[in-house]
Amino acid sequence: MTYRRSGAASVVLNVGGARYSLSRELLKDFPLRRVSRLHGCRSERDVLEVCDDYDRERNEYFFDRHSEAFGFILLYVRGHGKLRFAPRMCELSFYNEMIYWGLEGAHLEYCCQRRLDDRMSDTYTFYTAEEPGALGRDEARPGGAEAAPSRRWLERMRRTFEEPTSSLAAQILASVSVVFVIVSMVVLCASTLPDWRAAAADNRSLDDRSRIIEAICIGWFTAECIVRFIVSKNKCEFVKRPLNIIDLLAITPYYISVLMTVFTGENSQLQRAGVTLRVLRMMRIFWVIKLARHFIGLQTLGLTLKRCYREMVMLLVFICVAMAIFSALSQLLEHGLDLETSNKDFASIPAACWWVIISMTTVGYGDMYPITMPGRILGGVCVVSGIVLLALPITFIYHSFVQCYHELKFRSARYSRSLSAEFLN
């Protein structure tokens, strides 16, 4: 069926009975992705893939969606206030409307984000903005039919390297990457053993073999990082991601140490360069964080720390305030009142801070302890206070951890279903 654009300068959007008139120029660069896609439609079939119905006579596009929610979203994209949930509307339903129109949870006000997280955690329901048919919808855009194969290939490559459960090839690639990480960690740890050093000093070939294994692992990590950078959608966003930064921190020291070895050597006369080389080699321990790409547990930990940074800062403030108070009191009781029988371990407030922190965390190394009766009473109060202060933010962090874990499990299960379908086909 042919699709003839009306000569009218404006179009009408009918969202659940509420009509909105927009100019065609505004439609082209409209902030909502679903609405802006109407400008690139070339046939009525393409239009019906974006909206639910189309009236050619009135030049009216009909969307069978919640009109009140769209009103809130429209006010937000026009710059009138902040995006909050519509009154008397389920948080999940409103979030579903946001995903439909092309927004994400990050556009919500922080208080509404917390409400949404709690709601999703209670119901174990999670949405994703990456719909399985996204590639098919891209073909409806101008030039999409020609560019679709290349986009599909790049998207498949990206998921192969970024999502270990997205395909069988991705699982094999992830397994190989894990093997290289384990091998590199074993070689790094073994190289610090005294027996290994003695054997390497007597047998030069052992040291050469370890360097070859190390170079192969670094070559794999470098090639993996370069390929992921090439197939990434947004190069700037790729560089800003924490895991990619960690990859760079793990790979770069090797090349720096090689260049320093080439230009300065590793003789005893260059002590400063030798220390720098040892520091750079120890930075390769960041390789172990690469396992976060392949294990949900590490991803859950990172996502929880990201979402609960306010609670973590609050916990740190609690500890710092308590440490300042108890260290000053303990120094006064153990050293400041009676100089003749004073406790030398509490000679200063900074020295007492160490005792306070190990007491509040209930570690108690025993390297320093109060000897006076007031000091021991203060120590008991310090331990109890530490337990209470540490327990206060734990509830928030625990709920966020559970929510992040179920969210990542849902995402992993989604890709596992696509993997099963690919295997069966």
Side-chain angles (χ1 to χ4, degrees), residues 195-255:
D195 295 339
W196 179 284
R197 293 178 180 178
D202 298 336
N203 186 2
R204 187 65 180 177
S205 61
L206 178 62
D207 187 50
D208 293 338
R209 284 195 293 267
S210 66
R211 291 178 183 274
I212 292 173
I213 295 174
E214 186 179 18
I216 293 174
C217 295
I218 283 291
W220 170 267
F221 298 147
T222 304
E224 184 184 13
C225 189
I226 291 175
V227 172
R228 287 192 293 104
F229 177 77
I230 293 174
V231 301
S232 62
K233 294 180 179 179
N234 190 329
K235 301 299 187 291
C236 295
E237 183 181 352
F238 177 87
V239 176
K240 296 177 182 179
R241 289 178 182 174
L243 286 180
N244 296 330
I245 295 175
I246 292 172
D247 287 346
L248 292 177
L249 291 177
I251 295 173
T252 305
Y254 174 81
Y255 295 103

Side-chain angles (χ1 to χ4, degrees), residues 13-16 20 30-38 50-52 61-71 73-74 77 93-104:
L13 302 181
N14 188 331
V15 182
Y20 304 88
F30 201 74
L32 298 179
R33 289 197 301 268
R34 182 170 290 272
V35 178
S36 62
R37 280 166 50 195
L38 292 173
V50 179
C51 62
D52 296 298
Y61 301 90
F62 177 73
F63 297 87
D64 189 13
R65 308 300 297 186
H66 198 283
S67 59
E68 187 177 2
F70 181 76
I73 294 173
L74 190 61
V77 297
S93 300
F94 189 85
Y95 186 49
N96 192 21
E97 295 292 324
M98 290 174 55
I99 293 177
Y100 177 83
W101 294 110
L103 297 180
E104 300 176 355

Side-chain angles (χ1 to χ4, degrees), residues 323-372:
M323 185 168 59
I325 295 174
F326 285 111
S327 60
L329 292 177
S330 62
Q331 193 274 338
L332 177 64
L333 296 176
E334 292 293 314
H335 188 271
L337 295 181
D338 191 353
L339 298 179
E340 296 181 358
T341 61
S342 61
N343 191 342
K344 300 301 181 181
D345 293 334
F346 295 81
S348 64
I349 292 179
C353 286
W354 169 248
W355 171 79
V356 172
I357 192 65
I358 63 176
S359 298
M360 291 184 64
T361 55
T362 66
V363 176
Y365 290 117
D367 56 342
M368 57 187 299
Y369 49 86
I371 58 177
T372 63

Side-chain angles (χ1 to χ4, degrees), residues 146-167:
E146 295 79 2
S150 61
R151 280 201 302 268
R152 188 179 296 110
W153 181 82
L154 286 175
E155 180 67 17
R156 186 169 298 176
M157 284 290 294
R158 186 188 66 81
R159 289 192 175 184
T160 300
F161 281 88
E162 296 288 349
E163 300 291 344
T165 59
S166 61
S167 65

Side-chain angles (χ1 to χ4, degrees), residues 16 18 34-35 43 49 67 81 83 88 140 174 177 190 226 251 289 293-294 296 332 341 349 366 381 394:
R34 182 170 290 272
V35 178
S43 65
E49 287 182 358
S67 59
L83 184 59
R88 300 178 301 278
S177 183
I226 291 175
I251 295 173
I289 306 180
R293 295 186 181 277
H294 315 295
I296 292 181
L332 177 64
T341 61
I349 292 179
V381 176
I394 293 300

